[in-house]
Amino acid sequence: MEKTQQAVRPIYYADGSCYMLDQRLLPVEERWHAYRDYREIAEAIKTMVVRGAPAIGVAAAYGAAFAAAELAQQAPADFEERFAASCTELGATRPTAVNLFWALERMQRCAARMDSKATPAQIATRLLEEAQSIAREDEAINRALGAHGQRLLPQRATVLTHCNAGALATAGYGTALGVIRAAVAAGKKIDVIADETRPFLQGARLTAWELQHDHIPVTLICDNMAGYMLQQGRIDAIIVGADRVAANGDTANKIGTYPLAVLAQAHKVPFYIAAPVSTIDYTIPDGTHIPIEERDSAEVTTCGGQRIAPEGIQVYNPSFDVTPAHLISAIITEHGVVGGDYLQELAPFKEG
Amino acid sequence: MEKTQQAVRPIYYADGSCYMLDQRLLPVEERWHAYRDYREIAEAIKTMVVRGAPAIGVAAAYGAAFAAAELAQQAPADFEERFAASCTELGATRPTAVNLFWALERMQRCAARMDSKATPAQIATRLLEEAQSIAREDEAINRALGAHGQRLLPQRATVLTHCNAGALATAGYGTALGVIRAAVAAGKKIDVIADETRPFLQGARLTAWELQHDHIPVTLICDNMAGYMLQQGRIDAIIVGADRVAANGDTANKIGTYPLAVLAQAHKVPFYIAAPVSTIDYTIPDGTHIPIEERDSAEVTTCGGQRIAPEGIQVYNPSFDVTPAHLISAIITEHGVVGGDYLQELAPFKEG
């Protein structure tokens, strides 16, 4: 009998540690690291052991909980200030994905809401529960998002996705790939085209791996092949995740998303963003306010650890681009699918 | 005193051998191979020791000359037929670039035009001269093409190019990079943005290398970053080479060219094709008739020799795409720059 297959999940908490699958080593090796120190979690976010906007949020939440636990042991007078400083440190790891800041703010709000007589130890205990809630909720959100989004896909469809907005980018199930999983669960015949997503190759390494794991048909292409497939009429829809959605619907996502949106429009193919409401940044009116992270040139000059460009070559390596709202056919959230006037349509989802 | 710098040249004939720089090993290693057998030259074209439409044409011409020399030694009765068969073999190596077939036809025409009393040895001698003429002419053509094309560039410009349409893709000087070299020689300040060009990385490995060699400022990006740079208004023009231009101007070039043309139009940035007249295939009315080579999946699943995708993953690896003429601002040839009604504008350049 075949062994029951475990769902893909990149991060979980057990016995005082946060465990993370080292996504830099996939698909060649499945190595897990255990973290107990928030500084190590910050480093893991920075170096992309864990990546994907929602998963980064979950990791940061555990980081904040661990920072609180460490401070609780020392029981300093300035617990609050030092906890805030640790959250700032966790937030300084990656600038673009807003879920990171959303999760840290939620953790800080959770601490602030506690009884003024609560001890640091009690706060730390409560924060660990909160981090676990964030993780649990994230998967539930993705399942709700998937259920809404899958209705957009026809009975048979070839769907292109970029980067990895899958189980590996979240606490589980995925956003863009959650929509695909939900469509498959609904009995639809979905073929996935996965962009390899240079330079970090999240498509080749992660999306291909997790879809293969779930027996969902997937074909890998290089990023620059999507245009030709669209031209040939071989793509029915494009679905990607998001790192930050502005109040007007402008969306930052992995570099290479914007050209896909332009091509989708040129070929009249729907272009969907799948993102939990925690990805919406209501504080910024439009995409011009989203900071775009630039990463190390070595990501471009090497591939699979091999040097692929001359020594001393100048490199530009922006990690994200911004797709203007008018190129987005719909944004799929856990509360439903919205489109058209995003400023008005997204407003009711604002939390707090 | 600094050593005089040699011009980049990927193929030359000397002392009975055709020498080719192994472009698969650049920029890590500069290794030259000597070829005396046309079958080895066919293999070198197929495995991309030599690549780039005009350079493939030159290599095939030397291949044809060597095939004739080999047959001349055997002096068979069916010299003509066997020479034709060798040319067919050379032509079966790569299907898309038309310069390959153009060069082989020119070699066969050269043989056919000789006096009926000419011996196979005389024919072989003549064919070697013809191959050398093709190589010499190719560089002269590129210089003429560059002189015409550089007028399209302003005094200061950031020019994006895809793949390698440089000295390494030709007998010397280059087509798209020939335009850039000519602009630099004319005193213009040109910054080049080089797409890395997955999967074979001709941009990262070859364009970056040859521009660095010539001290022309170059910045390397991944293919999926061009859209963001265009959106930011940081690209003034796009210039690429061509593997085959149909009679109506539709142009096959390295995969990833078509999306650049769509993006260029969306951002009102001129999109130029730089190609010698030998790249025009007057026998086909439009791009739908251009065969698109698909290459091995290992090109996509590995990078720099390292596996970057799960075992058993399905891959689609088309090597070229077709840019419709209406997206091309101008085609730059050795006879001048044409645009608009390509069917009419390209017709006068038809040879023979």
Side-chain angles (χ1 to χ4, degrees), chain B residues 5 21 106 118 171 189 232 291:
Chain B
Q5 193 178 278
L21 180 58
R106 178 163 156 180
K189 163 105 189 53
Q232 293 175 292

PDB file of all heavy atoms in Angstrom, chain B residues 5 21 106 118 171 189 232 291:
ATOM      1  N   GLN B   5      44.630  45.086 -28.306  1.00  0.00           N
ATOM      2  CA  GLN B   5      43.533  44.159 -28.083  1.00  0.00           C
ATOM      3  C   GLN B   5      43.010  43.618 -29.398  1.00  0.00           C
ATOM      4  O   GLN B   5      42.722  44.365 -30.324  1.00  0.00           O
ATOM      5  CB  GLN B   5      42.441  44.898 -27.343  1.00  0.00           C
ATOM      6  CG  GLN B   5      41.389  43.970 -26.792  1.00  0.00           C
ATOM      7  CD  GLN B   5      40.372  44.763 -26.023  1.00  0.00           C
ATOM      8  OE1 GLN B   5      40.576  45.102 -24.875  1.00  0.00           O
ATOM      9  NE2 GLN B   5      39.280  45.073 -26.670  1.00  0.00           N
ATOM     10  N   LEU B  21      35.940  29.012 -31.665  1.00  0.00           N
ATOM     11  CA  LEU B  21      35.952  29.249 -30.226  1.00  0.00           C
ATOM     12  C   LEU B  21      34.748  28.512 -29.639  1.00  0.00           C
ATOM     13  O   LEU B  21      33.625  28.691 -30.104  1.00  0.00           O
ATOM     14  CB  LEU B  21      35.834  30.759 -29.977  1.00  0.00           C
ATOM     15  CG  LEU B  21      35.818  31.276 -28.540  1.00  0.00           C
ATOM     16  CD1 LEU B  21      37.065  30.866 -27.774  1.00  0.00           C
ATOM     17  CD2 LEU B  21      35.688  32.801 -28.543  1.00  0.00           C
ATOM     18  N   ARG B 106      24.572  28.928 -51.515  1.00  0.00           N
ATOM     19  CA  ARG B 106      25.602  29.715 -52.204  1.00  0.00           C
ATOM     20  C   ARG B 106      26.799  28.834 -52.568  1.00  0.00           C
ATOM     21  O   ARG B 106      27.347  28.948 -53.671  1.00  0.00           O
ATOM     22  CB  ARG B 106      26.036  30.881 -51.311  1.00  0.00           C
ATOM     23  CG  ARG B 106      27.124  31.712 -51.923  1.00  0.00           C
ATOM     24  CD  ARG B 106      27.275  33.062 -51.272  1.00  0.00           C
ATOM     25  NE  ARG B 106      28.628  33.567 -51.490  1.00  0.00           N
ATOM     26  CZ  ARG B 106      29.070  34.740 -51.043  1.00  0.00           C
ATOM     27  NH1 ARG B 106      28.277  35.543 -50.352  1.00  0.00           N
ATOM     28  NH2 ARG B 106      30.315  35.121 -51.275  1.00  0.00           N
ATOM     29  N   ALA B 118      35.793  21.129 -64.979  1.00  0.00           N
ATOM     30  CA  ALA B 118      36.538  21.289 -63.724  1.00  0.00           C
ATOM     31  C   ALA B 118      36.600  19.962 -62.966  1.00  0.00           C
ATOM     32  O   ALA B 118      35.624  19.222 -62.909  1.00  0.00           O
ATOM     33  CB  ALA B 118      35.865  22.341 -62.847  1.00  0.00           C
ATOM     34  N   ALA B 171      30.903  36.473 -38.320  1.00  0.00           N
ATOM     35  CA  ALA B 171      32.327  36.313 -38.596  1.00  0.00           C
ATOM     36  C   ALA B 171      33.134  37.391 -37.870  1.00  0.00           C
ATOM     37  O   ALA B 171      34.361  37.329 -37.805  1.00  0.00           O
ATOM     38  CB  ALA B 171      32.580  36.379 -40.096  1.00  0.00           C
ATOM     39  N   LYS B 189      27.481  57.937 -26.450  1.00  0.00           N
ATOM     40  CA  LYS B 189      27.612  57.336 -25.120  1.00  0.00           C
ATOM     41  C   LYS B 189      26.497  56.298 -24.978  1.00  0.00           C
ATOM     42  O   LYS B 189      25.341  56.643 -24.749  1.00  0.00           O
ATOM     43  CB  LYS B 189      27.513  58.459 -24.084  1.00  0.00           C
ATOM     44  CG  LYS B 189      27.227  58.049 -22.671  1.00  0.00           C
ATOM     45  CD  LYS B 189      28.459  58.128 -21.777  1.00  0.00           C
ATOM     46  CE  LYS B 189      28.164  57.485 -20.413  1.00  0.00           C
ATOM     47  NZ  LYS B 189      27.624  56.123 -20.492  1.00  0.00           N
ATOM     48  N   GLN B 232      10.050  51.738 -16.000  1.00  0.00           N
ATOM     49  CA  GLN B 232      10.722  52.844 -15.322  1.00  0.00           C
ATOM     50  C   GLN B 232      11.293  53.878 -16.289  1.00  0.00           C
ATOM     51  O   GLN B 232      11.915  54.843 -15.862  1.00  0.00           O
ATOM     52  CB  GLN B 232      11.875  52.308 -14.467  1.00  0.00           C
ATOM     53  CG  GLN B 232      11.449  51.463 -13.280  1.00  0.00           C
ATOM     54  CD  GLN B 232      12.676  50.899 -12.598  1.00  0.00           C
ATOM     55  OE1 GLN B 232      13.392  50.062 -13.145  1.00  0.00           O
ATOM     56  NE2 GLN B 232      12.960  51.388 -11.404  1.00  0.00           N
ATOM     57  N   PRO B 291      10.072  27.359 -39.281  1.00  0.00           N
ATOM     58  CA  PRO B 291      10.118  26.241 -38.335  1.00  0.00           C
ATOM     59  C   PRO B 291      10.813  26.682 -37.043  1.00  0.00           C
ATOM     60  O   PRO B 291      11.852  27.338 -37.087  1.00  0.00           O
ATOM     61  CB  PRO B 291      10.942  25.178 -39.066  1.00  0.00           C
ATOM     62  CG  PRO B 291      11.752  25.923 -40.071  1.00  0.00           C
ATOM     63  CD  PRO B 291      10.986  27.173 -40.409  1.00  0.00           C
TER      64      PRO B 291
END
